Amino acid sequence: MRGLRCVRCGTSAEPRHDTLGCSRCRAQGVPSALVADLDLTGVDGPALWDEWSRRRPGLWSHRELLPVEAGKAVTLAEGGTPLFEAAGVLVKDERRNPTGSFKDRFFSTAVSWARQHGAATVAVASSGNAGVSAAAYAAAAGLESVVVTTEEMDATARGLVRRFGGELRFGSDAEQRWAILRENSDEWAVLTNTSAVPVSSLWVGIEGYKTIAYEIVRDLGDVPEVVAAPVSRGDGFMGMWLGFQELLALGVVSRTPRMVAVERYPSLTRALREDADLPPVVDDPGPVEATSISNPQATAMSLRVIRESGGTAVACTDADLHRAAERFGRAGVGVELSSAAGLVAADALRRDSRLSPADRVVAVVTAHAANQPGTLS
């Protein structure tokens, strides 16, 4: 690892413990994420790929390209999730992770790194899945955890955070949650976004999401034409893109997929249409059930992934997601509402003739139906 690089301007930086992003882009009014910059020169990609293929599937089977010393990982056997066909798409089934969501990849990596660097407490802002996952991995690591949330947090998620020994602190809204994290950053290892204009979570956790891309290629034997995923700030979206780019650089694959961000608020959609550098804030007068993708402003990071990959953004409503979730359900796949987003995207792209009959679409199902706040009807 050479250090960090800005996803927008390419500026290099030393590894950091904050989530403020690139100082140069922030000064220009476009807060942009910093991600790990790996030097893969001289790495025998096919040999490394062959070594990985002989290991038991899982996130840490790819440890050579993850930012934690060998043998120091905090793991609950996350990763190694299946890829199968259902409802007309290829499902990357992240429901199978220990706490029921793909957040476990982030927190296995980030909590491992935090413990390795001497942290006693990890902290996140979350309305659900991230908080539960952070508390679980902190418990496994022997660390304390703080989940900063609002009163809208579902009772089941609150109970799970407490079951894992986590402390809940409450802010009045999202901005107060971020302020609480900033005020305590000297004491806590803060792992998620802290900015009112969203940037990203800590770069080290994004590294864990790369392994989704590795596993898709392993199981498919190739690169799919499209990868569609629910996106709010886009930590997983960027992580997968980094993974595909690394496989290309290593000579394991000869191309990368088009990355499709599925959003509840059309922030990326507007940024693409208006050729903007920063996705705008989008107001929605009604309540939102798809809470995992309920951020009204997307990130410059997600916009960069779309443009680099030749992908696009698809905006959806709660009603769209309910219809897709019901179709998944008829195929035996129970998903959190936001996790039906990949199927919504596949339908929209086919309807608009933006997919050919031969195009393979991987829909990343990010969480289990049991993680959905409230009750199913």
Side-chain angles (χ1 to χ4, degrees), residues 208-249:
Y209 288 128
K210 298 189 306 187
T211 58
I212 298 176
Y214 303 159
E215 292 174 11
I216 289 171
V217 173
R218 178 201 68 199
D219 290 346
L220 194 60
D222 194 5
V223 178
E225 283 67 37
V226 172
V227 173
V231 169
S232 184
R233 296 188 185 92
D235 296 336
F237 197 56
M238 171 54 80
M240 287 186 284
W241 179 235
L242 291 174
F244 286 118
Q245 287 183 308
E246 287 178 359
L247 294 181
L248 181 66

Side-chain angles (χ1 to χ4, degrees), residues 16-245:
R16 289 162 45 178
H17 294 244
D18 65 69
T19 60
L20 295 176
C22 174
S23 57
R24 178 181 176 184
C25 288
R26 182 173 286 275
Q28 295 173 357
V30 190
S32 302
L34 295 171
V35 296
D37 182 19
L38 271 61
D39 182 3
L40 300 177
T41 305
V43 177
D44 187 336
L48 180 61
W49 186 251
D50 183 62
E51 172 65 23
W52 287 353
S53 71
R54 292 197 297 269
R55 295 175 182 168
R56 181 177 179 178
L59 186 148
W60 292 102
S61 67
H62 309 100
R63 53 187 172 270
E64 288 85 354
L65 296 188
L66 295 175
V68 176
E69 290 180 22
K72 295 187 177 181
V74 179
T75 179
L76 296 169
E78 59 291 317
T81 60
L83 184 73
F84 59 89
E85 190 168 357
V89 293
L90 291 165
V91 173
K92 180 57 174 166
D93 190 5
E94 292 294 287
R95 303 175 306 158
R96 313 295 183 97
N97 284 298
T99 72
S101 89
F102 79 150
K103 299 290 185 180
D104 292 345
R105 295 185 190 258
F106 181 98
F107 287 105
S108 178
T109 311
V111 171
S112 296
W113 183 85
R115 185 175 70 172
Q116 183 176 313
H117 285 79
T121 302
V122 298
V124 301
S126 172
S127 59
N129 291 335
V132 171
S133 182
Y137 280 87
L143 305 181
E144 300 297 320
S145 62
V146 178
V147 177
V148 186
T149 188
T150 66
E151 292 295 341
E152 282 70 41
M153 188 181 205
D154 183 69
T156 300
R158 295 189 195 195
L160 284 169
V161 169
R162 292 185 173 121
R163 178 67 57 86
F164 295 134
E167 176 189 349
L168 288 169
R169 294 201 186 183
F170 293 89
S172 59
D173 55 24
E175 291 200 23
Q176 190 176 32
R177 293 187 314 176
W178 300 325
I180 292 170
L181 290 179
R182 291 193 299 270
E183 289 163 6
N184 291 277
S185 61
D186 289 340
E187 179 183 355
W188 303 337
V190 176
L191 303 180
T192 57
N193 178 73
T194 57
S195 301
V197 177
V199 178
S200 74
S201 296
L202 191 65
W203 63 271
V204 69
I206 292 173
E207 287 286 281
Y209 288 128
K210 298 189 306 187
T211 58
I212 298 176
Y214 303 159
E215 292 174 11
I216 289 171
V217 173
R218 178 201 68 199
D219 290 346
L220 194 60
D222 194 5
V223 178
E225 283 67 37
V226 172
V227 173
V231 169
S232 184
R233 296 188 185 92
D235 296 336
F237 197 56
M238 171 54 80
M240 287 186 284
W241 179 235
L242 291 174
F244 286 118
Q245 287 183 308

Side-chain angles (χ1 to χ4, degrees), residues 306-325:
I306 291 170
R307 286 174 170 156
E308 287 183 357
S309 71
T312 192
V314 173
C316 63
T317 65
D318 285 342
D320 294 330
L321 292 166
H322 273 292
R323 285 190 290 269

Side-chain angles (χ1 to χ4, degrees), residues 351-363:
R351 189 168 53 246
D352 296 343
S353 300
R354 287 186 282 174
L355 287 178
S356 76
D359 283 346
R360 295 160 297 179
V361 179
V362 171

